[in-house]
Amino acid sequence: MSKILVTGGTGYIGSHTVVELQNNGCEVIIVDNLSNSSMDVLEGIASITGKKPAFEKLDCCDRKALAEVFKKYPGIEAIIHFAAYKAVGESVEKPLMYYKNNLVSLLNILELMGEENARNLVFSSSCTVYGQPDVLPVTEDAPVKPANSPYGNTKQIAEEIIRDTIHADRRLKCIALRYFNPVGAHPSAAIGELPNGTPNNLIPFVTQTAIGIRECLRVFGDDYNTPDGSAIRDYIWVVDLAKAHVLAVERLLKNRNRQGVEFFNLGTGKGLSVLEILDAFEKATKVKVNRTIVARREGDVEKVWAEPAFANKELGWKAETSTEDMLKTAWEWEKALEAKRR
Ligand code: UFG
């Protein structure tokens, strides 16, 4: 049974990945500082998998505390590093907070990988590194564009740091996963996305509007160069995304002689506009979403969707869940949260 360290394992993508790892027989140790998640997530994971993962509350910027985890749980073979700040707007307001948190934690992990016998890293990157791609669907070898935000820049710099570190220390290996737009929740509705305050992302705002917490969804822009004028993204079900992490870990552990860092797009290959997503949500749930068209949001790209062929072929992974099915899980999760609020 492989022992896997998951940083940010109580977060949105982290928690769904822990479920998939445990379902595949891995022993998971979560470290998380709970800055944007809660201990209750551990109960949610246990209710799905029948097993509560080991948990250490700590900040990955605290090198000493992180080093102790390797001593306490000897034999960690791979690290999946989710822990990071991720709000684009906040990163513009507080760039140093973002650079410090997202990069110091990565430096600590890379240093400890060199010192401990944990040579394999799966890193959470983002399609934000492509900016507005010149060619769509975007492939992994598309040029990295100047970042639109300090958050996006932390992902670009992180990829470079990983590349340089692994080039210098051939014992280390990494798979960097470039996520497109993860949405939805586990079908059990035991875990899901827990937005802090007013959601920035589209789907939590949609579900909160549908349930009556928010009055109206603002559609940011209807004057883009797209068929209906609203911006296009590649929405991928969080459980499909989580499964790719299990395959990435297996690929690292199986191919012990393969060196270096690999980059994979994790998307469906299909782009949907904001208005199409709203239609799909209403069709899937039979619930109306109040909306109003407002100006474009600063920093948004017009359209981006993935070419996932490399992940399909090399990881043996494919996102197969339909848009309506993934949106249904987001709605079930919002209803479960509402039941708890009452
Ligand atoms: N949108 C709205 N109204 C809202 C929220 C979003 O119209 O209330 C629109 C956005 O303008 C965008 C689309 O819905 O066109 C998706 O927006 P999200 O905020 O959900 O996602 P983004 O594509 O902006 O951001 C995501 C990740 C970031 C990452 C970025 C890379 O959340 O972490 O992709 O493109 F940096």
Side-chain angles (χ1 to χ4, degrees):
M1 195 180 353
S2 308
K3 218 182 254 188
I4 315 292
L5 179 66
V6 181
T7 78
T10 48
Y12 175 42
I13 306 174
S15 57
H16 289 82
T17 299
V18 170
V19 165
E20 297 306 319
L21 288 167
Q22 292 197 157
N23 282 345
N24 279 277
C26 295
E27 185 183 336
V28 175
I29 300 114
I30 294 178
V31 301
D32 202 302
N33 65 1
L34 302 177
S35 66
N36 193 22
S37 62
S38 121
M39 289 284 276
D40 297 346
V41 173
L42 299 174
E43 307 297 336
I45 293 170
S47 78
I48 300 168
T49 63
K51 191 177 174 209
K52 208 163 160 178
F55 176 78
E56 299 291 333
K57 181 174 183 295
L58 66 89
D59 191 325
C60 295
C61 293
D62 181 346
R63 191 186 188 285
K64 201 162 156 265
L66 196 57
E68 275 160 22
V69 172
F70 287 90
K71 302 283 177 265
K72 184 168 171 187
Y73 303 92
I76 290 171
E77 287 186 86
I79 302 160
I80 309 183
H81 182 42
F82 292 105
Y85 293 150
K86 61 170 186 179
V88 174
E90 185 184 49
S91 79
V92 176
E93 306 286 317
K94 300 173 182 168
L96 292 180
M97 188 173 107
Y98 270 68
Y99 286 116
K100 194 171 188 182
N101 185 60
N102 291 8
L103 298 178
V104 172
S105 58
L106 175 67
L107 297 177
N108 285 341
I109 281 163
L110 290 168
E111 279 184 358
L112 288 166
M113 283 171 68
E115 289 167 21
E116 307 292 333
N117 207 17
R119 309 288 192 216
N120 302 291
L121 175 67
V122 177
F123 177 70
S124 297
S125 190
S126 165
C127 68
T128 193
V129 301
Y130 300 121
Q132 177 59 64
D134 300 323
V135 180
L136 287 167
V138 63
T139 56
E140 288 83 354
D141 50 15
V144 165
K145 295 274 180 73
N148 265 335
S149 69
Y151 158 76
N153 209 16
T154 67
K155 292 296 174 191
Q156 294 190 3
I157 296 170
E159 286 192 356
E160 285 172 13
I161 291 173
I162 291 169
R163 218 185 254 118
D164 291 346
T165 307
I166 286 178
H167 180 75
D169 184 344
R170 295 283 164 175
R171 299 168 308 164
L172 309 183
K173 287 186 297 179
C174 174
I175 290 180
L177 300 174
R178 291 173 174 163
Y179 309 150
F180 283 69
N181 288 55
V183 299
H186 194 269
S188 63
I191 54 170
E193 193 168 5
L194 282 169
N196 204 349
T198 310
N200 295 308
N201 293 117
L202 178 62
I203 299 306
F205 210 108
V206 167
T207 56
Q208 289 196 4
T209 307
I211 212 144
I213 299 176
R214 314 270 157 209
E215 245 171 55
C216 191
L217 173 91
R218 291 175 303 159
V219 175
F220 295 133
D222 69 347
D223 55 352
Y224 284 109
N225 182 22
T226 61
D228 65 21
S230 63
I232 296 179
R233 297 287 183 276
D234 185 335
Y235 297 90
I236 170 173
W237 189 34
V238 66
V239 175
D240 283 338
L241 190 73
K243 287 179 177 162
H245 293 74
V246 180
L247 294 166
V249 167
E250 279 173 2
R251 182 174 172 90
L252 288 168
L253 296 183
K254 248 194 256 152
N255 304 294
R256 294 194 185 266
N257 297 326
R258 184 183 287 120
Q259 290 183 328
V261 50
E262 291 182 304
F263 299 89
F264 289 101
N265 282 345
L266 296 184
T268 64
K270 190 171 96 174
L272 287 174
S273 73
V274 176
L275 295 175
E276 283 172 327
I277 278 285
L278 291 176
D279 282 351
F281 181 84
E282 291 185 340
K283 210 185 267 169
T285 63
K286 314 269 181 285
V287 182
K288 285 271 160 225
V289 182
N290 278 334
R291 85 275 307 262
T292 176
I293 310 283
V294 299
R296 295 179 182 193
R297 183 170 68 178
E298 206 186 325
D300 272 351
V301 301
E302 182 166 87
K303 49 191 164 195
V304 60
W305 62 94
E307 171 53 78
F310 187 53
N312 298 163
K313 181 165 171 279
E314 289 296 319
L315 283 183
W317 170 88
K318 200 168 186 322
E320 275 164 338
T321 309
S322 73
T323 310
E324 290 191 11
D325 284 348
M326 58 177 106
L327 292 174
K328 271 185 198 158
T329 66
W331 182 230
E332 290 308 313
W333 170 243
E334 188 64 61
K335 287 194 288 184
L337 288 176
E338 175 70 6
K340 272 190 216 154
R341 281 191 289 265
R342 275 206 217 108

